[in-house]
Amino acid sequence: MKETWKAYREMDRNVWIRFIGESINGIAFMMLLPFLALYLKDRVDHIWEVGIVMGVSPLASVIGTMIGGRLADLYGRKPLMVGSMAGNGVVMLGFVWFDDFWSFVVLSLLLGFFNSLFHPAASAMVADVTEPEKRTEAFGLLRMGHNIGAAIGPLIGASVVLFSKSIIFMISAMSMFFYALIVILWIRESLPKSIVKAESDKEKTQPEPDEKLPSPFQVMVKDKLLLIFILTGVVISMSFTQTEGMLPLHFDQTMPQLSDAQNPYTYMLAFNGLLVVLFQFPISRWAGARAIGKVMLYGCVLFGFGLLAVGWLPQVFTAVGMSYWLIIVIFLIIYGLYTLGEMLMSPVQMTFVANLAPENLRGTYMGAAGLQWILGGVTGPLLGGFLFDVGLGNLLFTILGVGCIVAGVIYLSIDRWVDERPDNQEPITETVVIEK
């Protein structure tokens, strides 16, 4: 315990401010998320329009994620973080001001865009101010902050929605503006001075410079390990979209003897959040002292095992007529292992990208790495919707569970490839020259 508190105190001020911000951000989004579909349903003519409004956001995230990291490397982390939060606040208010389908589509696109600008810059900032051996702990702390917000947000939203759904958007907007103000006042710019100095010297010697930082797509093409990492991560992202969205439907299909109020997912979700809040930081400290590839392998195996279990156990429970509370206990144990895998894997993934990235391209690398979540966020619901529609939810979780275990083996391999890569094969470390 003393070592944990000591590690807390040693965290850079920027990390702690981001921890507070992640908690605020988690509250703002999670108080809104459970009621967004209901809010939209009351304001559009057809249910399918709600699906379109909620589905276009990831499309805009592709653009934001790709350019956000590059802009953070060019102009600094702080301006992107402030602009993103302020933009999100305006968009939240827009959902109250406007009241038609096409306005909601535009607002959803803007929400996805502004939200995706934030993460590459913020992750690069954490890598800037944290020693490599402490990065897993730092990312774990931030994830704990997000889960604190995610645990509180729905409770606040459920209380406020009794009065008005519009108030939720207003509170969320104020939270975003408050976070932006915190960043302005207390976050210090962390863009490495060597990059700032290099840009300054270039301006003095070249009034019209002909060099540019590479785009995320150029980075992915040139750094094959990053590309493999991103493609491997898509199956992890797809898995999250199922456990966070489709799992209640799977339980409903495979355990028809249970009512909606008895769906185990509610207990599992609460248990997941509690475990993350209590144990994410010490687990991250443990993982930070070990080889990244092995930790990712351990996490993926546990994560995959959890997916396989929730895919097939419901049918077994129904066949044997198992009692309700015994079902809950077994699922909590299974989800505890799933959550342990999640806690091992998630912060270490960010550490891997931070360590792989050259100093002058951290934001660009973080932006490129975010593409895995967007691709998984789009393909996961499409695959899940098709398989659930034909009653093959167990096949879906089997594909994802096996895929996650295979992903762990690939993670272990690419981590070893990083260690074996000669110095002359390092990824992009200089700006790309663009001929006029």
Side-chain angles (χ1 to χ4, degrees), residues 29 83-93 110-112 114-115 173 176:
F29 273 101
S84 171
M85 290 297 100
N88 272 338
V90 173
V91 172
M92 292 290 186
L93 292 176
L110 291 174
L111 187 64
F114 282 120
N115 198 41
M176 298 296 177

Side-chain angles (χ1 to χ4, degrees), residues 108-130:
S108 182
L109 286 168
L110 291 174
L111 187 64
F113 175 75
F114 282 120
N115 198 41
S116 61
L117 283 179
F118 178 84
H119 296 289
S123 297
M125 183 269 291
V126 173
D128 294 337
V129 301
T130 310

